[in-house]
Amino acid sequence: SLMGPIMSFSVLHEDQLCETHHCRDLAAHYDTGDIRFVVDRHGVKWKCVNRRQMKGVPGDTWGCVELQCMDRAHGDLTGSFHFHNQC
């Protein structure tokens, strides 16, 4: 059986944040593989994908992007996704 994504409460390190648009775009769109969802100590929710599975993204850590609420794909930001807020 397949396990779903894992939720973790963690402290993200600078090298785990996606620095390029390419990394952010890949991490945002991955829905299978080695994925973790993290809530940091400030209540910010992140999606992290193992960089080894992202083509063209160097490194052997995680590539993390902040989750945000959009009104539609490629649409406008509608709100934060912090603490207990849901989209």
Side-chain angles (χ1 to χ4, degrees), residues 37-79:
F37 291 91
V38 177
V39 179
D40 71 18
R41 65 182 176 177
H42 302 290
V44 177
K45 297 177 182 177
W46 300 84
K47 179 181 179 183
C48 299
V49 177
N50 192 320
R51 289 178 189 263
R52 285 181 237 145
Q53 72 186 44
M54 292 194 286
K55 188 172 185 166
V57 178
D60 59 356
T61 62
W62 297 93
C64 299
V65 293
E66 182 178 349
L67 294 176
Q68 55 191 21
C69 301
M70 308 297 283
D71 63 355
R72 66 187 181 287
H74 308 291
D76 295 324
L77 180 67
T78 61

